[in-house]
Amino acid sequence: MTATHDDRLFAQHAPMLTGLAYRILGSRADAEDAVQDTYLKWREAGREAIDNPAAWLTTACTRRCIDLLRAAHRSRVDYVGSWLPEPIQAELAEAGGDGGPEAHWTLASSLSTAFLLLLERLTPKERAAYLLHEIFEQPYAEVASILEIEEAACRKLVQRARGNIEQGKVRHVTPAEQQDRLLAAFETAIVQGRTAPLASLLSQQIALHADGGGKVTAAAQAIHGADAVLGFIASVLHPACREDRWTFVDLNGSRGVILERAGRIEAAISFGYEEGGALRDIFIMRNPDKLTRLEAVRIR
């Protein structure tokens, strides 16, 4: 194969690899590093012996992601304040899918911030096994080969991970109409300081999480309960953010908002819902290191 053909073949698989890597790592920056490392390994490989390029690339990328995830564990344990996944826009929602409604639902639901945070509770191999089998529909035998374990052990990994995920009840997509209703009430609360419309949409388990990474001001710990969350919005977010420019966008598979001030993105906000549609989580990303790729894209 010529170098041009090699690059073209890799480019065909790159979106799926990026989508897989992001879901394993929770970081777009780390995912791009993993895919780049996979590309370099691909260029150096003796591909005459590679019968199935897709399987080879998936294997190489997954193993690299597991290594990066293990290395990232300590930094996340020592993280200042709440750690949240790096927000991404809509393009990864389709990465690896066939374009059908069921595939879109599966991939979009596996991008939510709540889902990615739930994955953080799994071991690296549990996380990879679950994603490969449940989201990217890889057979158990192939997943076992990728992870270098017996198929029976692979099935147990997926079963254990599935139990944790199902218990969290985050694998669902809230109707767009309900999301838009929430966004309107949230904007009213921040811009006008009127929290009553938002209060009626909150779950009893509502929590607000903010990630400043120790670089900017953010709530040091998650805020729980309707009274505490609404109080924080009225006393902190309303005076601080009411003059910001609002742009509604697709973030992590659902509707979210970007707050911009003086031409610079200050925050990316996404939400998590209960199955009945009540708002259960507010996720506020303020860490500037995790907002740079949104700035590079220039929010539409």
Side-chain angles (χ1 to χ4, degrees):
M1 293 188 288
T2 66
T4 300
H5 179 72
D6 292 345
D7 290 347
R8 187 163 56 247
L9 188 57
F10 182 86
Q12 292 173 2
H13 297 287
M16 186 281 291
L17 297 176
T18 303
L20 172 63
Y22 174 77
R23 288 167 172 87
I24 293 176
L25 296 165
S27 164
R28 181 63 181 264
D30 290 345
E32 291 173 350
D33 287 344
V35 173
Q36 178 64 20
D37 290 344
T38 302
Y39 171 71
L40 294 175
K41 189 172 182 179
W42 165 254
R43 289 299 305 268
E44 295 171 357
R47 284 181 296 287
E48 298 78 9
I50 298 176
D51 296 327
N52 188 333
W56 189 96
L57 290 168
T58 301
T59 297
C61 186
T62 300
R63 291 177 181 175
R64 181 58 181 147
C65 286
I66 289 175
D67 289 342
L68 290 173
L69 189 59
R70 285 171 174 159
H73 177 71
R74 172 48 58 186
S75 63
R76 293 182 187 180
V77 169
D78 296 335
Y79 199 78
V80 177
S82 299
W83 180 91
L84 295 177
E86 181 181 347
I88 54 94
Q89 291 181 271
E91 72 272 14
L92 287 187
E94 303 296 342
D98 61 8
E102 184 67 22
H104 176 80
W105 180 90
T106 298
L107 291 165
S109 69
S110 68
L111 278 175
S112 74
T113 303
F115 176 76
L116 294 173
L117 285 174
L118 195 54
L119 289 179
E120 287 290 305
R121 303 179 187 178
L122 308 180
T123 68
K125 282 194 173 182
E126 284 176 343
R127 189 166 180 163
Y130 179 86
L131 289 168
L132 286 167
H133 181 71
E134 297 289 305
I135 307 303
F136 290 87
E137 301 181 340
Q138 297 290 317
Y140 279 115
E142 291 186 19
V143 177
S145 176
I146 290 170
L147 300 180
E148 299 180 291
I149 58 177
E150 296 294 328
E151 185 174 337
C154 178
R155 289 178 179 272
K156 288 182 180 179
L157 280 180
V158 174
Q159 183 180 18
R160 193 158 55 238
R162 188 189 296 127
N164 282 310
I165 298 299
E166 291 177 353
Q167 188 175 17
K169 297 182 179 180
V170 296
R171 289 293 314 282
H172 56 83
V173 175
T174 301
E177 296 81 4
Q178 178 66 7
Q179 294 187 46
D180 289 340
R181 191 177 302 116
L182 178 280
L183 282 171
F186 186 74
E187 184 179 25
T188 296
I190 301 295
V191 176
Q192 301 179 23
R194 294 194 298 112
T195 59
L198 180 62
S200 65
L201 302 176
L202 301 184
S203 160
Q204 292 183 351
Q205 285 75 44
I206 182 66
L208 183 149
H209 317 259
D211 181 343
K215 300 176 183 297
V216 296
T217 302
Q221 297 179 332
I223 299 170
H224 296 273
D227 290 344
V229 169
L230 293 174
F232 182 81
I233 289 173
S235 63
V236 177
L237 296 185
H238 167 56
C241 306
R242 60 186 174 185
E243 301 295 334
D244 289 347
R245 178 176 177 267
W246 286 58
T247 305
F248 297 109
V249 296
D250 289 331
L251 284 176
N252 290 80
S254 62
R255 300 291 284 159
V257 62
I258 298 295
L259 299 185
E260 192 173 2
R261 188 180 309 158
R264 184 172 118 182
I265 293 177
E266 292 292 321
I269 306 174
S270 59
F271 305 92
Y273 302 86
E274 292 183 339
E275 290 180 295
L279 181 65
R280 185 170 64 181
D281 294 288
I282 300 172
F283 302 107
I284 303 177
M285 176 56 67
R286 294 213 62 227
N287 185 339
D289 294 343
K290 297 183 182 181
L291 296 173
T292 55
R293 283 158 186 78
L294 294 177
E295 291 181 312
V297 171
R298 294 308 302 165
I299 304 303
R300 64 182 184 278

